[in-house]
Amino acid sequence: MAESSEGLGTVPEHERILQEIQSTDTACVGPTLRSVYDDQPNAHKKFMEKLDACIRNHDKEIEKMCNFHHQGFVDAITELLKVRTDAEKLKVQVTDTNRRFQDAGKEVIGHTEDIIRCRIQQRNITTVVEKLQLCLPVLEMYSKLKEQMSTKRYYSALKTMEQLENVYFPRVSQYRFCQLMIENLPKLREDIKEISMSDLKDFLESIRKHSDKIGETAMKQAQHQKTFSVSLQKQNDVKFGKNRYINNYRIPEEKNEVVLKQALEEEDENEEEGDEETFENYYRKQRKKQARLVLQPQSSMGYGFPVNRLFDLLFEIRDQYNETLLKKWTGVFRDIFEEDNYSPIPIVNEEEYKSVISKFPFQDPDLEKQPFPKKFPMSQSVPHIYIQVKEFIYASLKFSESLHRSSTEIDDMLRKSTNLLLTRTLSGCLLNLIRKPHIGLTELVQIIINTTHLEQACKYLEDFITNITNISQETVHTTRLYGLSTFKDARHAAEGEIYTKLNQKIDEFVQLADYDWTMSEPDGRASGYLMDLINFLRSIFQVFTHLPGKVAQTACMSACQHLSTSLMRMLLDSELKQISMGAVQQFNLDVIQCELFASSEPVPGFQGDTLQLAFIDLRQLLDLFMVWDWSTYLADYGQPASKYLRVNPNTALILLEKMKDTSKKNNIFAQFRKNDRDKQKLIETVVKQLRSLVNGMSQHT
């Protein structure tokens, strides 16, 4: 009765377990199955029976489902077999279509290649046409030059030469025919000079012969004119020998009459450079002589006087005005440098960023992408200086505008004045700033960064002047701004000052050294002054990361070499009379810290152990004294592969004598100990050998 009640109670439990196994995740099956074993003793067997019954039920259901869908599966297979024939036909059709496409594509490819060749030929033809169009004006102008030379129109020929040299030849200078033309121009110009001088002399001689009749006619004509300018014009016409009759006498003209007429007609044009000054001076000199003989001007005359002296005076005033501006801007630049904090410009929002950009042309895509707050690399003085340079250009322009000069001359004046501002005023202010005592290493680094950005801004200043004068920078006679040399010199001066101040700082730390040169044992750690110096160098070289790599590397190498030299000088100081072995060991600990600093790559870019070589002299000297390897040193001295190649015998002798004196002082009773006596003898022997070696070197020298 108990068993039947037990079985009745177990069956529902087994059904619940089966339902959980079928419905829950596989990860939770373990605890469910464990409950079967935790139940009554026969529960496992009954559970298995229940499980088998459940499996059989599922199998029956699967079989029913398969029987139900079997006919559909058979029908699907039958349909696939029917489609098989159509698929094979489709495959044949696709293959045939692909073949026909391939055949058609070959023809298209052939036509395409023909088109490409035609396009290349067309492009080559276009290029040839462009080059010919570029060369044709040159050939036409040169042909025109030859024609002018043959017809003796020399002045026009000179103007044509000028156009060829300044306009046409630069376009085709790469061609050989152009070089031949260029080489031929000096000879043509020299021929023109000789012929023109001869014609000028003949012309002046002809004028001199008939000057009295010319003057008589000129005075008569002047009386019949309303204004003196008209009479003066006619007087000039008569003077220069045009075909006029004076008292029924015709003034003869020489065989080169056509040349002279052409020259006189073009007299008001721009003057030719080169030998023109020679002709002009000769002509003026001869005409002045003739004027003294022919013309007797009236005392009441207030016209016809040259105004060149007035313009010369104005130009002198302009130069003085520019000098005054330069002096004024010297104070402006000095004030800007005094007010600068020599720190990167901080910006906290877009408005401040745009404000700086509006004052100074700065472009950096990386900085634009950075979130606010951020910093410009230059300090506040850079945009202020840029603004003041533009103000100087405006001030210089105000005076030049009133001189009635051409745009090209005004452009040249502005550029020359700006060059003086950059190369003399700004450069001088920068150099004075760099040499000021209160300017430290951080400020010098910022000055180098500032000059780099000011140098880059010079091209914008050139564009600024171009926009004012409308004279392109490609013009042949346009003066360039010398910002490159100005700021490069300032950077070199700042770099040199960095090296000097860095070495001075090292000297200040070294002066704090307080060695006990007679100590018997080292402290076991590096000296405090040296660790402070190394920490300072690490921090300052971190600031140098903003400098160009070459500058930072040079500064680091210079600092290490100076530190090595200072330490060596400390050992060899003549006032230091005695050094103990313990002091040498303590000194060696300090040098080890220097070498560790050099090997830590405080400035990136050094190759291998380049920086550590700055301490190689100290290292070999200390190694020699630490291991007391005098036999090796003396035996290998002078050999390229010597272990102590960098140890100078005189240096070793000085240091060893200081140690010898210490050994004598500290070992008054050492003569009673055999080891001390042997060491003392060894020192004396090495000292003698070193002295002999040093004396031999001096005699050889």
Side-chain angles (χ1 to χ4, degrees):
M1 191 68 182
E3 291 179 358
S4 91
S5 64
E6 181 182 350
L8 291 173
T10 323
V11 172
E13 182 65 20
H14 290 170
E15 292 179 354
R16 182 186 63 77
I17 293 173
L18 289 174
Q19 290 177 357
E20 289 184 2
I21 291 174
Q22 294 178 6
S23 61
T24 60
D25 191 8
T26 55
C28 302
V29 173
T32 305
L33 293 176
R34 193 178 299 111
S35 64
V36 176
Y37 293 95
D38 294 342
D39 220 339
Q40 292 86 1
N42 296 326
H44 176 262
K45 181 178 179 182
K46 294 177 181 180
F47 175 75
M48 293 302 294
E49 293 174 355
K50 190 68 175 177
L51 182 61
D52 290 338
C54 183
I55 292 172
R56 286 195 296 273
N57 290 333
H58 284 297
D59 289 341
K60 289 178 181 180
E61 292 177 0
I62 293 172
E63 185 177 356
K64 289 178 182 179
M65 186 175 294
C66 290
N67 290 333
F68 178 75
H69 293 287
H70 176 70
Q71 187 59 39
F73 176 73
V74 173
D75 295 340
I77 294 297
T78 304
E79 291 294 331
L80 286 175
L81 291 175
K82 292 179 181 179
V83 174
R84 183 176 184 180
T85 304
D86 296 334
E88 291 177 354
K89 293 180 181 179
L90 181 61
K91 180 179 179 181
V92 172
Q93 292 178 359
V94 170
T95 303
D96 183 61
T97 303
N98 179 58
R99 180 182 54 77
R100 286 188 282 107
F101 271 131
Q102 293 294 335
D103 295 339
K106 291 180 181 177
E107 184 177 358
V108 174
I109 291 173
H111 290 310
T112 303
E113 291 177 350
D114 293 339
I115 291 174
I116 292 174
R117 285 194 294 271
C118 290
R119 290 287 174 82
I120 293 175
Q121 292 176 357
Q122 184 180 7
R123 183 181 61 192
N124 292 340
I125 291 172
T126 303
T127 303
V128 171
V129 171
E130 291 177 354
K131 297 300 182 183
L132 287 175
Q133 289 177 347
L134 195 64
C135 295
L136 281 176
V138 181
L139 297 174
E140 291 175 355
M141 289 297 292
Y142 195 77
S143 176
K144 180 181 177 182
L145 173 63
K146 287 292 187 180
E147 180 183 356
Q148 291 169 344
M149 291 292 294
S150 63
T151 57
K152 301 181 180 180
R153 296 166 56 199
Y154 299 119
Y155 186 82
S156 300
L158 289 174
K159 300 302 292 184
T160 304
M161 287 184 192
E162 181 181 3
Q163 290 182 351
L164 282 170
E165 290 176 332
N166 297 335
V167 180
Y168 292 95
F169 282 163
R171 299 175 183 173
V172 293
S173 59
Q174 68 272 25
Y175 300 117
R176 185 182 177 190
F177 77 88
C178 179
Q179 297 298 326
L180 295 176
M181 292 179 180
I182 293 175
E183 294 173 359
N184 195 31
L185 288 186
K187 183 179 181 302
L188 294 176
R189 187 175 279 111
E190 189 64 27
D191 293 342
I192 292 175
K193 176 183 176 181
E194 294 177 358
I195 296 173
S196 299
M197 180 61 75
S198 176
D199 292 342
L200 179 62
K201 291 180 179 178
D202 294 341
F203 171 73
L204 292 176
E205 183 178 355
S206 174
I207 292 293
R208 179 67 186 93
K209 288 179 180 178
H210 308 286
S211 60
D212 52 348
K213 296 180 180 180
I214 294 174
E216 181 182 355
T217 303
M219 296 300 294
K220 290 180 180 179
Q221 291 179 351
Q223 295 176 358
H224 299 289
Q225 301 300 326
K226 294 182 180 180
T227 61
F228 181 78
S229 59
V230 176
S231 65
L232 183 62
Q233 179 64 40
K234 291 193 174 184
Q235 179 184 355
N236 290 337
D237 291 342
V238 176
K239 284 182 184 179
F240 289 112
K242 292 191 176 181
N243 291 335
R244 297 183 181 274
Y245 289 87
I246 302 176
N247 293 336
N248 297 323
Y249 179 80
R250 185 179 185 275
I251 300 176
E253 291 186 336
E254 304 297 333
K255 57 183 178 180
N256 291 328
E257 179 184 9
V258 178
V259 178
L260 296 175
K261 285 185 178 181
Q262 183 68 23
L264 292 172
E265 290 173 359
E266 298 179 353
E267 187 175 10
D268 293 332
E269 296 183 2
N270 294 332
E271 296 181 348
E272 177 68 14
E273 295 181 358
D275 298 316
E276 179 184 359
E277 185 177 355
T278 303
F279 290 97
E280 185 176 309
N281 292 335
Y282 179 82
Y283 177 79
R284 286 179 176 177
K285 183 178 180 181
Q286 296 299 321
R287 294 298 289 155
K288 284 181 180 179
K289 290 181 179 179
Q290 294 177 2
R292 294 191 188 99
L293 296 174
V294 177
L295 299 178
Q296 296 295 331
Q298 299 178 3
S299 58
S300 60
M301 187 172 175
Y303 298 96
F305 286 99
V307 294
N308 293 335
R309 293 184 179 181
L310 177 61
F311 280 106
D312 293 340
L313 177 62
L314 289 176
F315 291 153
E316 291 181 5
I317 295 175
R318 182 205 64 194
D319 294 338
Q320 294 297 325
Y321 175 74
N322 283 335
E323 289 294 329
T324 303
L325 290 180
L326 292 174
K327 292 179 181 178
K328 176 183 177 182
W329 257 260
T330 300
V332 171
F333 290 148
R334 188 183 298 116
D335 294 340
I336 291 175
F337 289 139
E338 289 294 334
E339 295 172 0
D340 194 10
N341 58 3
Y342 299 98
S343 300
I345 303 174
I347 46 176
V348 296
N349 52 41
E350 186 71 21
E351 184 179 354
E352 292 184 1
Y353 182 84
K354 291 182 179 179
S355 176
V356 176
I357 292 297
S358 64
K359 299 176 183 176
F360 183 75
F362 180 82
Q363 296 178 354
D364 188 354
D366 295 335
L367 183 63
E368 292 180 2
K369 296 176 183 178
Q370 294 178 10
F372 292 101
K374 50 188 175 183
K375 294 181 179 180
F376 283 99
M378 65 277 187
S379 65
Q380 194 64 47
S381 63
V382 173
H384 290 167
I385 289 174
Y386 184 79
I387 292 173
Q388 288 302 320
V389 173
K390 293 172 67 175
E391 292 295 330
F392 175 86
I393 294 173
Y394 277 128
S396 181
L397 177 64
K398 288 180 181 178
F399 190 91
S400 300
E401 284 180 337
S402 303
L403 296 180
H404 304 289
R405 312 301 291 179
S406 65
S407 298
T408 304
E409 291 175 313
I410 293 177
D411 182 89
D412 190 63
M413 292 177 189
L414 290 180
R415 293 178 186 272
K416 289 181 178 179
S417 300
T418 308
N419 276 332
L420 285 176
L421 180 73
L422 295 176
T423 59
R424 196 171 75 185
T425 305
L426 182 56
S427 178
C429 292
L430 279 171
L431 293 177
N432 291 334
L433 173 68
I434 290 169
R435 296 190 181 101
K436 286 189 175 181
H438 70 276
I439 297 296
L441 291 170
T442 305
E443 288 80 5
L444 289 171
V445 171
Q446 188 62 55
I447 290 173
I448 292 177
I449 297 172
N450 289 351
T451 54
T452 302
H453 290 285
L454 286 172
E455 178 183 328
Q456 295 171 353
C458 281
K459 61 180 182 180
Y460 297 101
L461 290 175
E462 289 190 339
D463 295 339
F464 176 72
I465 296 176
T466 299
N467 292 333
I468 292 177
T469 60
N470 293 324
I471 299 298
S472 175
Q473 297 181 22
E474 283 73 22
T475 304
V476 177
H477 301 292
T478 299
T479 305
R480 293 291 181 183
L481 297 185
Y482 305 137
L484 180 64
S485 60
T486 298
F487 299 114
K488 183 181 293 184
D489 294 342
R491 275 199 301 277
H492 287 334
E495 292 167 10
E497 199 68 20
I498 283 178
Y499 307 148
T500 301
K501 288 185 180 295
L502 192 57
N503 292 343
Q504 291 175 352
K505 201 69 178 178
I506 292 174
D507 292 338
E508 292 176 5
F509 278 99
V510 172
Q511 289 174 1
L512 300 176
D514 187 19
Y515 287 101
D516 181 6
W517 297 108
T518 60
M519 61 173 29
S520 57
E521 295 292 336
D523 293 339
R525 62 179 181 274
S527 303
Y529 86 94
L530 188 72
M531 296 307 299
D532 293 340
L533 171 58
I534 290 176
N535 290 333
F536 164 76
L537 292 177
R538 289 188 189 279
S539 62
I540 201 64
F541 289 145
Q542 187 67 29
V543 178
F544 284 8
T545 55
H546 302 291
L547 289 174
K550 197 84 172 179
V551 179
Q553 293 172 16
T554 304
C556 186
M557 176 59 76
S558 173
C560 290
Q561 290 176 343
H562 186 74
L563 176 57
S564 177
T565 303
S566 300
L567 293 176
M568 180 69 79
R569 191 183 302 116
M570 190 186 302
L571 277 179
L572 304 179
D573 189 2
S574 59
E575 296 182 0
L576 179 61
K577 303 299 183 183
Q578 298 176 349
I579 300 178
S580 66
M581 195 61 188
V584 173
Q585 293 172 349
Q586 178 64 39
F587 199 82
N588 183 59
L589 292 176
D590 293 344
V591 175
I592 290 174
Q593 290 298 323
C594 295
E595 292 172 327
L596 291 175
F597 168 73
S599 63
S600 66
E601 198 176 10
V603 171
F606 286 105
Q607 297 181 354
D609 56 351
T610 303
L611 195 57
Q612 300 178 52
L613 293 178
F615 301 96
I616 188 65
D617 292 354
L618 273 174
R619 171 47 49 212
Q620 291 190 7
L621 179 64
L622 292 174
D623 285 348
L624 177 61
F625 277 84
M626 294 293 292
V627 300
W628 211 251
D629 194 9
W630 294 103
S631 59
T632 302
Y633 173 72
L634 293 172
D636 295 344
Y637 178 74
Q639 301 297 325
S642 174
K643 181 179 179 181
Y644 305 101
L645 182 64
R646 304 298 295 267
V647 178
N648 186 284
N650 190 42
T651 303
L653 177 61
I654 293 173
L655 188 57
L656 190 60
E657 286 182 335
K658 294 179 179 181
M659 295 187 68
K660 181 185 70 172
D661 295 339
T662 304
S663 178
K664 287 182 178 180
K665 180 178 179 181
N666 295 337
N667 296 278
I668 299 177
F669 302 101
Q671 55 182 340
F672 301 107
R673 295 194 296 270
K674 185 176 184 303
N675 292 336
D676 295 334
R677 291 200 306 271
D678 293 341
K679 183 176 180 180
Q680 187 66 26
K681 289 181 180 179
L682 176 61
I683 293 177
E684 293 176 354
T685 303
V686 174
V687 167
K688 291 180 181 178
Q689 292 176 340
L690 287 175
R691 285 177 180 169
S692 176
L693 187 60
V694 171
N695 293 332
M697 290 174 57
S698 62
Q699 292 176 1
H700 178 70
T701 302

